Amino acid sequence: MVKTDFLVIGSGIAGLSFALKVADLGEVIIITKKNDSESSTNYAQGGIAGAIGSDDSKEQHITDTITAGCDLCHKDMVKVVIDEGPMVINQFMSWGCRFTRGADGKLALGREGGHSRNRIVHADDLTGHEIEIALLAQVKEHPNITLLENHITVDLLTEHNVAVMTKHGAVTCFGAYVLDVENGQVETFLSGTTMLATGGTGAVYLHTTNPDIATGDGIVMAYRAGAKVGNLEFMQFHPTSLMLSGGKSFLISEAVRGFGGVIVDETGRRVMEDHPLKDLAPRDIVARTIDHHLKNSGEEHVFLDITRKDPDAIKKRFPNIYETCLTHGIDITNDPIPVVPAAHYMCGGVVTDSYGRTSITNLFAAGEVAFTGLHGANRLASNSLLEAVVMVDRAASAVREKRQKPSELPEVSEWSEKGTFKHDEWVIISHDRQNIRRLMWDLVGIVRSDFRLRRAENRITLIRDEVREYYRKTRLSLELVELRNLVIIAWLIVISARHRKESRGLHYTTDYPNRDDSLWKHDTIIQNEEIIL
Ligand code: FAD
Ligand code: SIN
């Protein structure tokens, strides 16, 4: 049994920055399920939104965020996060991030969909990698921080794991059970404060821009422990992802359209011609227009064409996209890039207040795993790296005020493997994972309907029951822990989508094609298997 002041689950931007912010208060342990840099953060391309241009204002950034979010954003949270934009950019630089500058020496500002001004601070097209490397370097130097790779949290520890219930009905987090993937042992980590920073859920869809780690673990662990989760019907699909062999994809940043790239069909017609914002319309609209075009034309993909721009300027601005496409036989300075939409960002998550506190005492959540209310029904591009740092900063100020001491933690039962066996049924796990991902893609994608969602719920419920049965009898592995979470996150997305009987932002259903503010201008909140709002 390990005791620590702070247990941080995840080593992306949210986890690493929280560890740095609280490390002067006590011992911090970061748990991460693969290698230290494997996270969505590491692949972020476009950048960080901040109203720092001379023609820009915080008010304009707030308006763009609320417009993209289709009036479901929590306006107080939008203000809290956007007000801190310039502070966050400075914070990144103080951590050692080197951002791209113009000829005048000022930070270069890119443009993305839904933004009415150029306001995206970036490090070429490798912004996330620059951030991840800078944060990891700081974390590794800090004497109070230990980072454990190849450790996956299985479940959060609450009153259910304490021999004698502390307070009837209360739910408090005391840490987590953690599987050491290399030796197969489950260890108990007790902590005064636990920070969930496990990222998103894109891997629940067949085609996604997310790395494989994005299996929704944090949302599902918090939900299992009794936390409120919200707005899971709002999965964002990025309009332009390059499809690779083996079902993998590679993001082609929206910044490419901000730089002058246009989406065309195989005849060269502009797909976004009819929208007033053309290729820089909000993401939900561009993705839906492409989806509609592909279904009506029978074409397999559209093209993102940047060939009219100067080749040297393209290579300088997008070195990573240029090189990666080249390895797949596409020279983006000459050839239009074949692209399709792919699952990209979960706008919902574990419900938090404006200080990152969840509905479970001593459990915080920040980054993509959290639902703060900022994004509403559709996230504005490049607002998520910003949100992560603002919320971490506020969570750190909350624990500075008040936190549980590890010496006051109760005794918790150790993990028991009794009744489990080592099964060699890898094929069951991999088939179920693929089935869930295909089913979500086919039935719970960009365009939904009552018929498709009902079918999805029936099938996922069946797989969920089988996985539950298998899980009870089987010794843990990383793959099994992820499958158990994937099936539940799929189920939560489906029941949230079935509940919302209107179309708004990222949730579009042919049975209720219009937005209905009289009945649905509110979040979808689920707790203990019930939709409570
Ligand atoms: P992540 O960075 O995903 O980190 C999650 C961490 O949790 C990982 O270390 C993972 O291994 C670990 N983990 C997960 N489950 C467990 C578990 N059970 N036990 C232990 N560890 C676990 N946003 C922007 O604002 N601007 C952009 O330009 C941008 N570009 C993007 C490009 C791509 C290709 C993608 C995929 C996303 C992009 N986003 C962008 C979104 C943004 O990158 C993410 O929302 C953000 O990085 C999430 O950070 P995070 O710290 O919450 O999670
Ligand atoms: C991109 O570069 O297109 C991704 C930006 C984001 O998801 O915020």
Side-chain angles (χ1 to χ4, degrees):
M1 200 170 290
V2 179
K3 263 192 192 180
T4 182
D5 294 281
F6 299 97
L7 180 66
V8 178
I9 310 171
S11 61
I13 188 170
L16 297 176
S17 58
F18 182 74
L20 289 171
K21 292 263 168 180
V22 297
D24 65 314
L25 299 175
E27 190 199 352
V28 184
I29 298 180
I30 305 175
I31 298 293
T32 194
K33 68 179 172 179
K34 296 218 167 143
N35 69 320
D36 54 11
S37 65
E38 193 55 5
S39 58
S40 288
T41 302
N42 199 36
Y43 300 97
Q45 295 185 0
I48 309 134
I52 58 171
S54 55
D55 62 341
D56 204 359
S57 67
K58 287 177 182 170
E59 289 68 34
Q60 195 56 49
H61 189 179
I62 288 173
T63 304
D64 291 349
T65 300
I66 293 171
T67 306
C70 302
D71 278 337
L72 214 60
C73 303
H74 298 193
K75 292 190 176 145
D76 51 345
M77 278 312 301
V78 177
K79 185 165 170 20
V80 161
V81 173
I82 290 198
D83 267 351
E84 299 295 345
M87 174 287 280
V88 167
I89 311 275
N90 285 330
Q91 172 78 85
F92 278 119
M93 291 193 288
S94 76
W95 280 324
C97 299
R98 292 151 308 158
F99 293 128
T100 307
R101 290 180 182 271
D104 57 1
K106 291 191 182 150
L107 288 172
L109 299 176
R111 184 79 159 257
E112 291 180 11
H115 289 274
S116 59
R117 300 284 187 280
N118 282 23
R119 62 166 76 97
I120 316 297
V121 175
H122 54 275
D124 294 334
D125 56 352
L126 285 157
T127 311
H129 185 65
E130 180 69 19
I131 294 171
E132 185 72 20
I133 296 303
L135 287 173
L136 276 174
Q138 300 269 334
V139 158
K140 285 178 181 167
E141 271 184 12
H142 205 295
N144 282 1
I145 307 179
T146 308
L147 192 153
L148 300 175
E149 295 180 301
N150 301 312
H151 280 66
I152 179 166
T153 46
V154 180
D155 265 319
L156 297 171
L157 297 169
T158 63
E159 277 83 349
H160 296 295
N161 313 95
V162 176
V164 181
M165 287 286 250
T166 41
K167 245 192 274 163
H168 184 68
V171 183
T172 310
C173 181
F174 305 119
Y177 286 130
V178 178
L179 172 71
D180 178 339
V181 179
E182 277 166 359
N183 69 16
Q185 298 301 310
V186 177
E187 296 160 28
T188 306
F189 283 72
L190 289 176
S191 57
T193 302
T194 304
M195 169 55 87
L196 267 185
T198 47
T201 63
V204 74
Y205 284 89
L206 189 61
H207 302 297
T208 178
T209 63
N210 291 188
D212 290 345
I213 53 99
T215 49
D217 298 359
I219 300 177
V220 177
M221 283 189 296
Y223 168 72
R224 260 198 306 265
K228 289 181 187 163
V229 296
N231 281 13
L232 296 168
E233 64 272 39
F234 296 117
M235 165 57 77
Q236 183 169 70
F237 290 82
H238 197 291
T240 57
S241 122
L242 174 70
M243 283 294 168
L244 302 173
S245 59
K248 294 276 175 204
S249 353
F250 172 71
L251 181 75
I252 308 292
S253 175
E254 204 158 78
V256 172
R257 277 174 280 141
F259 193 71
V262 291
I263 300 168
V264 294
D265 66 11
E266 59 180 32
T267 68
R269 196 190 79 87
R270 282 184 70 170
V271 173
M272 293 308 299
E273 186 59 40
D274 296 337
H275 195 280
L277 296 170
K278 303 263 185 299
D279 297 87
L280 288 175
R283 233 170 238 183
D284 56 329
I285 296 169
V286 182
R288 214 161 34 245
T289 309
I290 296 177
D291 185 70
H292 183 75
H293 176 81
L294 295 180
K295 285 191 176 130
N296 279 343
S297 66
E299 291 166 23
E300 284 190 352
H301 52 73
V302 289
F303 293 95
L304 179 52
D305 188 352
I306 187 82
T307 55
R308 259 166 296 184
K309 301 293 280 188
D310 171 53
D312 289 334
I314 296 174
K315 288 186 215 163
K316 187 166 184 312
R317 174 67 181 87
F318 303 109
N320 181 38
I321 295 175
Y322 172 75
E323 285 299 334
T324 306
C325 287
L326 209 52
T327 61
H328 296 284
I330 305 160
D331 175 353
I332 67 169
T333 64
N334 259 319
D335 311 319
I337 314 163
V339 289
V340 285
H344 182 62
Y345 183 88
M346 172 45 81
C347 294
V350 183
V351 175
T352 73
D353 69 7
S354 64
Y355 286 87
R357 300 181 192 100
T358 69
S359 51
I360 295 184
T361 308
N362 297 335
L363 178 68
F364 288 72
E368 193 168 336
V369 70
F371 166 53
T372 64
L374 170 70
H375 308 304
N378 175 42
R379 177 182 64 106
L380 184 67
S382 288
N383 265 356
S384 60
L385 296 172
L386 169 66
E387 180 196 38
V389 177
V390 174
M391 294 312 295
V392 155
D393 204 44
R394 294 172 70 84
S397 73
V399 297
R400 236 167 242 288
E401 295 267 302
K402 184 167 173 265
R403 63 188 175 278
Q404 169 105 38
K405 294 196 189 94
S407 57
E408 294 164 354
L409 292 168
E411 286 299 306
V412 168
S413 344
E414 292 270 15
W415 181 262
S416 165
E417 280 193 339
K418 226 164 107 195
T420 63
F421 304 91
K422 188 168 178 343
H423 290 266
D424 287 326
E425 298 280 8
W426 167 238
V427 69
I428 293 183
I429 297 184
S430 70
H431 275 190
D432 276 350
R433 188 172 172 129
Q434 277 310 96
N435 283 344
I436 295 166
R437 299 182 70 193
R438 174 157 286 289
L439 210 142
M440 290 297 285
W441 184 256
D442 290 342
L443 303 177
V444 199
I446 297 173
V447 175
R448 301 161 180 183
S449 69
D450 278 350
F451 175 74
R452 288 183 192 181
L453 292 176
R454 220 174 19 249
R455 225 173 141 86
E457 186 179 350
N458 290 342
R459 290 175 180 202
I460 285 175
T461 305
L462 208 72
I463 303 176
R464 183 197 62 186
D465 295 346
E466 278 174 14
V467 171
R468 257 188 203 153
E469 184 66 21
Y470 185 70
Y471 179 83
R472 270 193 216 111
K473 295 188 288 196
T474 309
R475 204 153 293 166
L476 289 188
S477 62
L478 177 132
E479 292 78 10
L480 180 56
V481 173
E482 287 191 339
L483 176 65
R484 179 184 180 225
N485 293 330
L486 267 181
V487 72
I488 300 296
I489 195 67
W491 183 78
L492 287 167
I493 294 172
V494 173
I495 62 163
S496 306
R498 279 201 72 184
H499 183 65
R500 185 172 288 278
K501 304 227 175 324
E502 65 156 356
S503 290
R504 183 187 297 267
L506 300 160
H507 174 69
Y508 182 83
T509 156
T510 50
D511 290 299
Y512 312 94
N514 300 317
R515 177 167 144 177
D516 180 356
D517 279 351
S518 66
L519 289 176
W520 294 103
K521 201 177 168 187
H522 61 77
D523 301 322
T524 308
I525 307 292
I526 309 179
Q527 189 175 32
N528 299 328
E529 305 207 359
E530 266 184 63
I531 297 186
I532 58 170
L533 188 69

